[in-house]
Amino acid sequence: MLIGVIADDFTGASDIAVTLSKGLEGEGGLRTTQYLGVPSVQADASVEAGVIALKSRSLPVEEAVAQSLAACRWLQEQGCEQIIFKYCSTFDSTDEGNIGPVTDALAAHLEAQSVVMCPAFPAMGRTLYQGHLFVHDKPLNESGMQHHPLTPMTDADLRRVLARQSQNRVGHIAWQTVSAGSEAVQAALVAQAEEGRVLVIVDAISNDDLTIIGSACRGAVLVTGGSGIARALPHNFIADGRAQGQRAGVPQVSGAEAILVGSCSGATRGQIAEHEKQHPVLMIDVKEVLSGATGPQQLVDFIQAHQGQAPLVYSSGDPETVRQLQQEYGREKIAEALDTLFGQTARQLVAEGVRRLVVGGGETSGAVVSALDLDALTIGQEIDTGVPAMVSGGERPIALALKSGNFGGRDFFARALKTL
């Protein structure tokens, strides 16, 4: 294994996994496997990039750090020469963490002198300029992310955000330096290290910028960012003759289907509305879930009654509705109830024969794959930007697509099932 990734949620893990598997256009990437939690056994010798999916984004800091370090140690045991800490392209975190504390811990463990931090993902409209993160044409704190139920982002200046989280000094490499090429970025990283700035925010507004940064990270023991940061990292190993480059692909899986959605992002709400035009959709009332009136059986019954029609069940709501429910019942209580509901529903569906499963939302995806107790997933073709088809092992494989809230086109759900 050459590259190891520690991802702080399950959809983000599949996002960066497909980026590593895809590599640069015309060249191909690395043979990539996604692990659901820290494995207890050694990796297959054929794996060139291993992605460990954690559900650590919203955990208490101490737990997130401990899990991330455990993942790092396992990846090192597999021979990984470069570790990537993958977080969301909207830098989802609070003033307490977890991005800063986890990066601090990994940097100390790996003895990294300067660490690139670049959440930019231009293909999805996330760009970083003068240290400020933008979502399309809006600063992060005006993009809707300021209303996120778990990690509201109220400051677009990532230098300030990171400084509130980290025990290390925070540096910055401006786009003007990035545009000068990889050697300029390497020199700037050395200069930042000499000034004692361990964590370095690096601007990027295009895929070309990410390619330059990736080249500058050749030999770096630790790199952090969104999935875009991995765009050119396979090339470093391919150019050195350490890997051959490959095209991702997994077989399609036949069988019953289900779509489970727990994201409340604007993009996901639009996708649900589009799906509802031609397919059966069931909205979950959160109050009924909390009271026990709605449970897994009701969701399973709906999905089984509409097999062959791409049935979808969801708990999404507009930000104001979500906010009112959180004020009334508590954020943690609602999140736990919905995670339990979706996890139990997925487990029952699979037990009753469902073999194609599309999940929307990072927290929901984590709950589902944890409940299914899957060990590893092979990464296949990209369904939509940042969302691959994935297949589990065993005699009765399950095909999965795990979609982050803001990812995918309007017709994503139906198209994902067709791809699977």
Side-chain angles (χ1 to χ4, degrees):
M1 197 178 291
L2 301 170
I3 293 178
V5 180
I6 303 161
D8 68 357
D9 83 335
F10 284 73
T11 55
S14 58
D15 180 4
I16 197 168
V18 76
T19 303
L20 289 167
S21 180
K22 191 169 56 172
L24 293 178
E25 186 175 352
E27 182 176 69
L30 304 179
R31 291 189 295 273
T32 305
T33 294
Q34 178 172 326
Y35 303 97
L36 308 176
V38 181
S40 58
V41 297
Q42 297 297 299
D44 187 279
S46 66
V47 178
E48 295 173 321
V51 181
I52 295 180
L54 302 177
K55 200 170 182 285
S56 59
R57 180 172 298 172
S58 302
L59 287 179
V61 169
E62 296 78 9
E63 292 182 44
V65 167
Q67 289 189 14
S68 300
L69 286 174
C72 184
R73 294 187 185 100
W74 184 86
L75 291 167
Q76 288 179 291
E77 291 171 2
Q78 312 314 305
C80 289
E81 300 172 19
Q82 187 168 65
I83 300 295
I84 306 171
F85 172 38
K86 195 279 176 191
Y87 39 79
C88 189
S89 58
T90 45
F91 214 73
D92 295 17
S93 53
T94 65
D95 282 350
E96 291 72 35
N98 290 335
I99 293 175
V102 169
T103 306
D104 284 350
L106 292 173
H109 175 71
L110 296 168
E111 299 182 350
Q113 300 302 307
S114 63
V115 180
V116 165
M117 306 200 71
C118 182
F121 193 176
M124 292 301 297
R126 277 72 159 170
T127 55
L128 192 60
Y129 184 71
Q130 302 298 9
H132 288 67
L133 186 57
F134 292 83
V135 178
H136 299 292
D137 62 340
K138 298 183 183 299
L140 178 64
N141 58 306
E142 299 175 14
S143 67
M145 279 301 298
Q146 69 270 31
H147 303 306
H148 193 285
L150 297 178
T151 53
M153 300 305 296
T154 59
D155 191 349
D157 189 336
L158 297 192
R159 296 165 296 187
R160 290 194 299 247
V161 174
L162 191 56
R164 292 192 289 268
Q165 300 178 5
S166 173
Q167 299 299 311
N168 282 298
R169 296 181 67 196
V170 177
H172 173 234
I173 296 177
W175 176 81
Q176 289 81 356
T177 300
V178 174
S179 66
S182 60
E183 291 184 1
V185 175
Q186 286 177 327
L189 286 169
V190 171
Q192 294 284 326
E194 290 174 346
E195 295 175 3
R197 301 182 187 276
V198 178
L199 310 188
V200 185
I201 301 291
V202 184
D203 287 353
I205 61 175
S206 70
N207 281 340
D208 288 342
D209 295 336
L210 292 174
T211 300
I212 289 169
I213 296 168
S215 180
C217 289
R218 181 190 298 261
V221 294
L222 177 63
V223 181
T224 85
S227 63
I229 196 63
R231 172 180 167 80
L233 296 182
H235 169 76
N236 295 333
F237 291 96
I238 294 169
D240 288 344
R242 307 283 304 284
Q244 298 301 311
Q246 60 95 44
R247 300 292 185 271
V250 293
Q252 287 187 316
V253 173
S254 60
E257 79 280 4
I259 306 170
L260 306 176
V261 185
S263 167
C264 61
S265 72
T268 297
R269 296 198 307 275
Q271 291 162 345
I272 293 169
E274 181 68 23
H275 194 78
E276 194 170 16
K277 293 177 182 178
Q278 299 183 40
H279 306 281
V281 169
L282 174 68
M283 182 182 73
I284 301 166
D285 187 318
V286 173
K287 292 183 179 180
E288 292 189 0
V289 174
L290 293 171
S291 71
T294 295
Q297 192 61 54
Q298 284 87 349
L299 276 60
V300 170
D301 289 346
F302 174 83
I303 289 168
Q304 297 292 35
H306 295 91
Q307 269 309 302
Q309 301 174 320
L312 182 154
V313 297
Y314 75 100
S315 66
S316 297
D318 63 85
E320 182 56 34
T321 300
V322 172
R323 195 159 39 244
Q324 290 176 358
L325 288 168
Q326 289 179 336
Q327 289 176 352
E328 184 175 355
Y329 295 100
R331 183 177 69 181
E332 291 77 13
K333 183 177 181 179
I334 292 174
E336 182 180 359
L338 291 175
D339 283 356
T340 300
L341 174 68
F342 281 118
Q344 291 177 348
T345 299
R347 188 163 55 237
Q348 187 171 339
L349 286 169
V350 169
E352 295 184 13
V354 166
R355 286 292 172 266
R356 292 178 295 143
L357 195 56
V358 178
V359 188
E363 296 297 318
T364 306
S365 294
V368 166
V369 296
S370 296
L372 294 179
D373 197 26
L374 302 173
D375 294 326
L377 299 169
T378 302
I379 304 301
Q381 72 181 87
E382 196 170 34
I383 300 168
D384 221 325
T385 301
V387 188
M390 300 183 291
V391 175
S392 67
E395 295 181 0
R396 302 184 69 196
I398 301 169
L400 289 164
L402 308 177
K403 185 193 84 70
S404 181
N406 289 308
F407 282 27
R410 292 276 295 186
D411 64 341
F412 174 83
F413 291 122
R415 190 153 41 83
L417 281 179
K418 185 177 180 180
T419 303
L420 296 180

